Amino acid sequence: MTRADLDKQPHEVAEMFDGVAKRYDLTNTVLSFGQDRGWRKATRTALGLRPGERVLDVGAGTGVSTDELGRSGAFAVGADLSVGMLQAGRRVRPDVPLLAGDALRLPFADGTFDAVTISFALRNVVDTVAALREFGRVTRPGGRLVVCEFSTPVNPAFRTVYMQYLMRSLPAVARGVATNPDAYVYLAESIRAWPDQQELSSKILASGVWDRVGWRNLTGGVVALHRATRLAS
């Protein structure tokens, strides 16, 4: 297995990320021109975490995002479907709590967390709305959700250049740094097929467990942070 298809079957997605785990963090930094660090900090800020709170990082991969969340003083736990990614993360971040978990069947009791976040992974889940409901299940009433995901640039000219980069340059650059460059063809296709800011906002509301949904564009809309509040049960 070198890449997944856009039907996003969980075992295919997990195997694909197992294949890119070794150099995943480095590849992301190169492909984003170093912007990934700022996106992680913006996600932490948007969550408004306080010391002593508990936050779940879904789709945590190697735990680089979980580590960033922990800088707030909150207790941050990462979960990911790819065992290969988790193993790579544990080697370099042994103090970051990382465990195997499916976004559609999280291994936590109801209302465990004060906040839940997912960065650049929601578009890899086979059922977006079901995942959003599951995030709500493990979040206490009044808790927060932040989705950090690739989105649609707001400037038409920039959008055209960006889409050309995704489909042409990104796979070419990945061949120079990634352990499984074919996987980045899927990743580029999944970004292009992903809903824009308004449509994702509608999906979050359609889950029936989140309210007060809003978003903030980063890097001209290349990435968007969607924030929501858990409804009372």
Side-chain angles (χ1 to χ4, degrees):
M1 177 62 61
T2 57
R3 55 161 289 180
D5 293 320
L6 287 180
D7 60 359
K8 307 174 204 175
Q9 293 304 308
H11 69 282
E12 292 184 359
V13 172
E15 289 175 12
M16 183 190 70
F17 279 102
D18 287 347
V20 300
K22 185 176 180 181
R23 303 183 72 182
Y24 185 73
D25 293 336
L26 171 62
T27 303
N28 284 347
T29 297
V30 170
L31 293 176
S32 70
F33 304 100
Q35 294 291 307
D36 58 321
R37 298 185 181 96
W39 297 337
R40 286 193 293 271
K41 290 179 181 178
T43 299
R44 171 167 57 84
T45 300
L47 282 162
L49 297 168
R50 296 180 291 274
E53 288 192 315
R54 292 174 292 185
V55 57
L56 174 63
D57 184 19
V58 184
T62 65
V64 63
S65 53
T66 317
D67 188 35
E68 177 65 40
L69 296 175
R71 298 176 188 274
S72 67
F75 177 68
V77 178
D80 199 278
L81 192 63
S82 167
V83 174
M85 294 283 277
L86 295 170
Q87 289 173 339
R90 287 168 183 153
R91 284 194 291 270
V92 296
R93 301 178 186 88
D95 297 329
V96 175
L98 297 173
L99 52 86
D102 186 339
L104 297 172
R105 293 180 297 275
L106 294 168
F108 302 103
D110 295 359
T112 298
F113 296 96
D114 299 289
V116 174
T117 186
I118 182 167
S119 295
F120 308 111
L122 187 57
R123 72 182 193 283
N124 300 319
V125 180
V126 66
D127 189 332
T128 302
V129 173
L132 291 163
R133 290 193 188 107
E134 180 68 352
F135 301 166
R137 182 187 66 79
V138 300
T139 306
R140 64 167 177 80
R144 291 96 67 200
L145 168 73
V146 170
V147 176
C148 178
E149 188 54 90
F150 290 109
S151 197
T152 304
V154 294
N155 181 280
F158 177 52
R159 186 187 312 139
T160 299
V161 172
Y162 172 65
M163 291 301 174
Q164 289 176 343
Y165 168 72
L166 279 181
M167 303 314 299
R168 297 178 185 177
S169 301
L170 186 148
V173 174
R175 282 194 289 273
V177 292
T179 52
N180 180 12
D182 285 344
Y184 286 84
V185 176
Y186 157 81
L187 292 173
E189 292 173 349
S190 69
I191 293 169
R192 185 173 63 173
W194 184 245
D196 65 14
Q197 291 89 328
Q198 182 60 61
E199 187 177 350
L200 180 55
S201 179
S202 297
K203 285 180 179 289
I204 295 172
L205 287 170
S207 69
V209 295
W210 300 103
D211 194 13
R212 296 167 59 189
V213 180
W215 72 80
R216 172 192 170 201
N217 289 318
L218 303 177
T219 319
V222 168
V223 169
L225 295 179
H226 282 71
R227 193 179 190 277
T229 301
R230 176 68 166 90
L231 289 166
S233 300

